[in-house]
Amino acid sequence: MAASLSCSSNPTFTRVTVSPRSSLSPTVPHFLKFLATTPSHPFRPLTAGSRSSSFSFAAPRASAAAADDDKSSSTSTSFHGICYVVGDNIDTDQIIPAEYLTLVPSKPEEYEKLGSYALIGLPDSYTTRFVEPNETKTKYSIVIGGYNFGCGSSREHAPVALGAAGVAAVVAESYARIFFRNSVATGEVYPLESEGRICEECKTGDTVTIELGESRLINHTTGKEYRLKPIGDAGPVIEAGGIFDYARKTGMIPTISA
Amino acid sequence: MASSSIAFILNKKDLGFSTFSRQSVSSIPKCRRTISKKICSVTAPHQSERKPSTTGSVKTGMTMTEKILARASEKAQLSPGENVWVNIDVLMAHDVCGPGSIGIFKKEFGQKAKVWDREKIVVIPDHYLFTSDERANRNVDILRDFCVEQNIKYFYDIKDLSNFKANPDFKGVCHIALAQEGHCRPGEVLLGTDSHTCTAGAFGQFATGIGITDAGLVFGTGKLLLKVPPTLRFVMDGEMPNYLLAKDLILQIIGEISLSGATYKSMEFVGITVESLTMEERMTLCNMAIEAGAKNGVVPADSTTYKYLEDKTSVAYEPVYSDQQARFLSEYRFDVTKLEPLVAKPHSPDNRALARECKDVKIDRVYIGACTGGKTEDFIAAAKVFLASGKKVKVPTFLVPATQKVWMDVYGLQVPGSGGKTCSQIFEEAGCDTPASPTCGACMGGPRDTYARINEPMVCVSTTNRNFPGRMGHKEGQVYLASPYTAAASALTGYVTDPREFLQ
């Protein structure tokens, strides 16, 4: 959360996050159908303008599209993009290897760098790279995994690296505790749980939509739909941009005057 | 905080007097005996402060973890699943996650904000110290600047990286330093920006790892919202065979319940075997609770705990214990006399196998170190195997004492039965590498120039805690997790080796 906020001063950040997903649309046959339910430029106008100013940066990076500004946004948020599929027990060393932990997430330029190393620790059996060499962003805005995603160390660099690379949501069968907690506390990514083993039915590169309010994942490439477990009370925290922003938004802690 | 905890102890006493049928669990009466001795002077003056809600018998039994969190959240009763704001007794931060936590603290509370309590924060540089990596060195500088600015009482600084011994304040690996410096105390809540913070559960306290955003919040408020975990109980009975160490027990448990078998849960270790373990061995047990996904691991405090703490802390502490009617999600029983030396094969700590089943696995090196396997007793254990064999190691054997104190023990303590030799002498005779500067070092890869880091696709037997792909450096490296006995035996043969080949 804080990391994303600290990056908010860097306008290129939100831009770059957006562009890969929008540029995807012309190549996706199902996208027209998708357009019927979701605005065509999901990121730009919807959340940013309508929220209280302190959240204007945090919100759009996590919530890809909010159809209705007035409602609690997690009921109407959806993410659309291509997915990157991994297996079970993806530990934090694979998400962000220890040699890159000298990067401090609260420093904007180092936050960006963390993104460029996201999932670089995956074994070579993953032939498709998550982030291309010399890029800081991934073209995969959704990561799909098996059980116990994010096990291992408490490094917050893990959800931060994914978020910094441009991931909006992870969908896994289950999560390790600290990864889940850090994802919510930072508001970097939505850690969503699937009902079954979606990771065995989706392939890297498939086009998917997640409808948060409906707790549903649609794989447009295969035409299949899957149920997700509701994100519950964690949703509004991530939506707000993390636990500090949520606490300010709900009046739990005072807003810092800049 | 004190008053509610006292209530628990008094309640416990009441229970002991009124209910005779509840004496079946062997560890509890023993613990109670020791508590009353320890506590009476603390409790007496405070009796009048007992709140009505905390008096009377405990209606619903609570586990240790539930009780510690209840006291820390000023509640009389807690059940698993409840979310409570917990008062934190100690927050530990190190050089990997400390700078980020500081960044968040400053950003959220303001550049001029002060931490909630300068005496309750312990800052320990330990991960990336002996490296030319500029950013790693800068991160230690960030810690130093912050600790000076905030007048943090416990900052175990290192300035002279060329000679760790020239740094009087320097300790080493945080989890071991926390224990050796008296920051781990029964009944308290300790958080740290490291997943192996659960190590401190060995002292009968609640200890868990958190991220940097949560740590930033704790810096500012001293509180954190925590969900009360349900508890799994592991009862280990039987006399510990002389070829097993706590590492074998925890590898057995993780192999049993899997890498996610305790996710969101507390693991409580009890039984005759656990009672017989030293503090360092209990720390090994709790250290790897996270490898089963646990929120915390915990061992009830007893006379072993109090003795360890005698010369380490003057802070009054109040242990708590699981009620006999406490509810456990499930209970696992082990007869340790039937266990054999174990390893966790690549690439997962739950990939359990008997050491002797892997005797054909040729290895390239051995690593003895880290919070899990770099304590004084771990080196003594390894030395015993070398001593018993009288042979030389066949593969490079790297020794990284966890802390400056452990390093001094390695050079100063005489190994029992050795005729007065120190570990360092035995290691030298066996042909090991010279014990290196205390740090987390190669356990988690780290910068490329880290001592003993795996930079090529090698096979390593290691006393550390994780063997995920790339954990010790190279993605294709293969790490076999093992006890110091098994690691030393493997060094002597060049293959994964059951230590009974040398110890019997």
Side-chain angles (χ1 to χ4, degrees):
Chain A
M1 163 276 332
S4 67
L5 273 182
S6 61
C7 286
S8 63
S9 56
N10 177 0
T12 58
F13 172 64
T14 38
R15 281 294 142 235
V16 184
T17 322
V18 171
S19 54
R21 293 179 215 171
S22 342
S23 66
L24 182 76
S25 50
T27 66
V28 178
H30 291 279
F31 194 70
L32 279 177
K33 188 182 160 202
F34 179 75
L35 271 178
T37 54
T38 311
S40 57
H41 297 287
F43 308 95
R44 202 174 351 111
L46 291 165
T47 50
S50 60
R51 255 160 252 279
S52 70
S53 58
S54 60
F55 301 104
S56 57
F57 294 107
R61 77 147 313 287
S63 56
D68 184 343
D69 295 329
D70 297 328
K71 282 186 190 170
S72 163
S73 45
S74 41
T75 58
S76 52
T77 303
S78 62
F79 311 108
H80 182 72
I82 54 174
C83 67
Y84 190 87
V85 182
V86 293
D88 297 321
N89 294 320
I90 298 300
D91 83 294
T92 51
D93 287 301
Q94 294 175 71
I95 299 170
I96 182 80
E99 63 184 291
Y100 306 115
L101 299 187
T102 55
L103 296 162
V104 174
S106 56
K107 295 185 182 296
E109 65 287 0
E110 295 184 22
Y111 173 92
E112 288 286 319
K113 246 189 189 141
L114 274 169
S116 69
Y117 297 122
L119 287 174
I120 203 169
L122 286 172
D124 296 341
S125 55
Y126 288 83
T127 48
T128 308
R129 280 192 65 156
F130 183 67
V131 182
E132 293 296 332
N134 305 318
E135 295 284 331
T136 54
K137 301 294 172 187
T138 180
K139 58 182 177 183
Y140 306 97
S141 58
I142 291 159
V143 173
I144 295 178
Y147 57 77
N148 205 26
F149 188 92
C151 59
S153 105
S154 63
R155 64 189 73 156
E156 198 163 289
H157 310 63
V160 167
L162 292 174
V167 174
V170 179
V171 178
E173 220 178 331
S174 64
Y175 291 91
R177 179 186 65 82
I178 307 179
F179 180 87
F180 186 92
R181 170 74 176 223
N182 286 342
S183 300
V184 176
T186 56
E188 285 288 340
V189 291
Y190 279 86
L192 301 170
E193 287 186 340
S194 57
E195 292 275 357
R197 291 184 64 70
I198 300 183
C199 64
E200 285 177 5
E201 302 206 10
C202 295
K203 288 197 168 57
T204 294
D206 286 359
T207 306
V208 299
T209 299
I210 293 168
E211 292 175 350
L212 210 56
E214 308 283 315
S215 295
R216 184 168 58 173
L217 182 143
I218 305 152
N219 185 330
H220 300 287
T221 307
T222 63
K224 288 187 178 175
E225 282 192 24
Y226 305 94
R227 282 180 61 82
L228 304 176
K229 293 179 186 167
I231 184 76
D233 289 349
V237 180
I238 302 165
E239 163 97 37
I243 200 147
F244 279 102
D245 289 314
Y246 177 77
R248 292 212 170 88
K249 186 181 178 184
T250 54
M252 291 166 71
I253 54 174
T255 305
I256 293 183
S257 49
Chain B
M1 185 188 81
S3 62
S4 56
S5 66
I6 289 155
F8 289 130
I9 291 153
L10 293 176
N11 290 341
K12 189 155 179 46
K13 209 178 207 175
D14 293 342
L15 280 174
F17 285 123
S18 60
T19 53
F20 305 102
S21 60
R22 289 172 181 159
Q23 298 295 328
S24 57
V25 177
S26 56
S27 60
I28 287 178
K30 185 183 171 193
C31 299
R32 187 162 53 84
R33 208 170 51 235
T34 12
I35 317 160
S36 48
K37 187 175 67 185
K38 189 85 195 172
I39 293 306
C40 49
S41 64
V42 182
T43 54
H46 289 287
Q47 280 203 12
S48 57
E49 290 176 18
R50 287 162 63 190
K51 292 176 192 158
S53 61
T54 62
T55 57
S57 294
V58 175
K59 290 193 182 72
T60 309
M62 288 194 285
T63 66
M64 271 181 81
T65 293
E66 290 156 20
K67 279 190 182 176
I68 295 168
L69 293 178
R71 176 160 77 191
S73 60
E74 299 165 25
K75 303 223 185 269
Q77 186 77 43
L78 276 185
S79 302
E82 283 185 67
N83 290 297
V84 286
W85 283 95
V86 173
N87 295 315
I88 309 307
D89 294 298
V90 175
L91 173 69
M92 184 280 298
H94 55 47
D95 54 309
V96 167
C97 296
S101 310
I102 292 164
I104 300 229
F105 168 72
K106 295 250 171 192
K107 181 174 159 27
E108 299 294 346
F109 292 92
Q111 291 299 320
K112 290 180 181 166
K114 286 283 172 193
V115 297
W116 105 98
D117 191 332
R118 60 171 282 271
E119 297 193 4
K120 291 187 172 181
I121 292 167
V122 184
V123 179
I124 309 181
D126 64 350
H127 273 60
Y128 304 157
L129 302 180
F130 309 105
T131 170
S132 58
D133 185 305
E134 287 178 9
R135 215 161 37 219
N137 297 334
R138 174 208 65 181
N139 286 349
V140 180
D141 295 339
I142 293 176
L143 294 182
R144 185 179 306 112
D145 292 346
F146 181 73
C147 289
V148 169
E149 169 200 302
Q150 299 282 334
N151 197 17
I152 298 292
K153 187 168 178 184
Y154 302 107
F155 172 47
Y156 300 129
D157 196 9
I158 179 160
K159 283 181 185 153
D160 185 349
L161 298 177
S162 63
N163 175 15
F164 74 91
K165 284 169 276 183
N167 300 273
D169 295 335
F170 172 63
K171 302 302 173 205
V173 176
C174 57
H175 308 298
I176 310 310
L178 281 172
Q180 291 177 336
E181 299 306 311
H183 298 295
C184 302
R185 295 176 292 257
E188 292 193 355
V189 175
L190 182 149
L191 299 181
T193 59
D194 188 289
S195 60
H196 292 108
T197 304
C198 56
T199 309
F203 289 82
Q205 67 179 150
F206 178 87
T208 196
I210 58 171
I212 60 181
T213 297
D214 282 341
L217 181 66
V218 177
F219 269 141
T221 64
K223 294 176 195 291
L224 192 63
L225 183 62
L226 292 175
K227 184 187 267 190
V228 181
T231 300
L232 303 176
R233 185 151 68 163
F234 298 86
V235 186
M236 282 170 277
D237 283 321
E239 190 182 338
M240 194 84 157
N242 70 351
Y243 45 82
L244 291 185
L245 291 166
K247 182 66 169 282
D248 297 294
L249 304 185
I250 192 64
L251 289 178
Q252 166 72 15
I253 289 170
I254 297 165
E256 201 69 25
I257 68 173
S258 93
L259 204 57
S260 56
T263 298
Y264 281 100
K265 301 180 184 80
S266 172
M267 296 170 79
E268 184 171 325
F269 305 103
V270 296
I272 309 272
T273 316
V274 179
E275 289 169 32
S276 75
L277 295 179
T278 63
M279 285 317 294
E280 290 195 356
E281 284 283 85
R282 294 178 190 187
M283 287 162 70
T284 306
L285 206 53
C286 291
N287 176 275
M288 287 186 72
I290 181 67
E291 263 54 76
K295 187 163 198 163
N296 69 318
V298 74
V299 173
D302 61 12
S303 53
T304 305
T305 321
Y306 308 141
K307 188 152 194 310
Y308 182 95
L309 288 171
E310 252 169 26
D311 58 349
K312 294 189 176 63
T313 184
S314 55
V315 177
Y317 54 84
E318 294 151 32
V320 294
Y321 301 91
S322 291
D323 293 319
Q324 297 200 9
Q325 71 275 38
R327 276 180 284 193
F328 297 94
L329 206 57
S330 43
E331 185 172 283
Y332 299 81
R333 290 187 167 269
F334 298 92
D335 178 353
V336 302
T337 61
K338 296 197 167 64
L339 299 183
E340 297 186 61
L342 295 169
V343 296
K345 296 190 287 184
H347 291 284
S348 177
D350 67 354
N351 195 7
R352 179 183 64 189
L354 296 176
R356 61 181 170 84
E357 288 173 339
C358 302
K359 65 180 169 50
D360 297 328
V361 176
K362 195 170 184 320
I363 63 169
D364 300 305
R365 58 167 59 181
V366 164
Y367 185 87
I368 299 176
C371 53
T372 319
K375 304 181 291 309
T376 299
E377 290 172 17
D378 297 317
F379 288 104
I380 291 177
K384 275 185 188 166
V385 176
F386 292 136
L387 195 66
S389 80
K391 293 179 183 150
K392 283 191 178 288
V393 295
K394 291 197 173 148
V395 291
T397 301
F398 301 99
L399 311 164
V400 185
T403 62
Q404 181 145 213
K405 167 138 193 0
V406 174
W407 191 93
M408 285 163 66
D409 288 344
V410 165
Y411 277 86
L413 281 186
Q414 293 179 357
V415 176
S418 69
K421 287 182 188 169
T422 62
C423 287
S424 59
Q425 287 169 322
I426 294 168
F427 293 147
E428 193 179 349
E429 286 169 16
C432 302
D433 244 36
T434 308
S437 305
T439 164
C440 298
C443 171
M444 49 126 48
R448 305 255 168 162
D449 60 352
T450 299
Y451 173 76
R453 185 183 191 271
I454 296 183
N455 290 326
E456 291 161 58
M458 294 181 158
V459 182
C460 177
V461 172
S462 177
T463 64
T464 55
N465 43 46
R466 288 192 182 129
N467 58 350
F468 297 116
R471 167 73 181 180
M472 291 184 77
H474 199 284
K475 269 194 227 181
E476 308 302 321
Q478 296 192 43
V479 177
Y480 286 76
L481 303 178
S483 76
Y485 281 158
T486 303
S490 304
L492 289 165
T493 62
Y495 291 84
V496 174
T497 302
D498 187 319
R500 284 175 289 188
E501 289 195 15
F502 298 103
L503 288 173
Q504 285 184 335

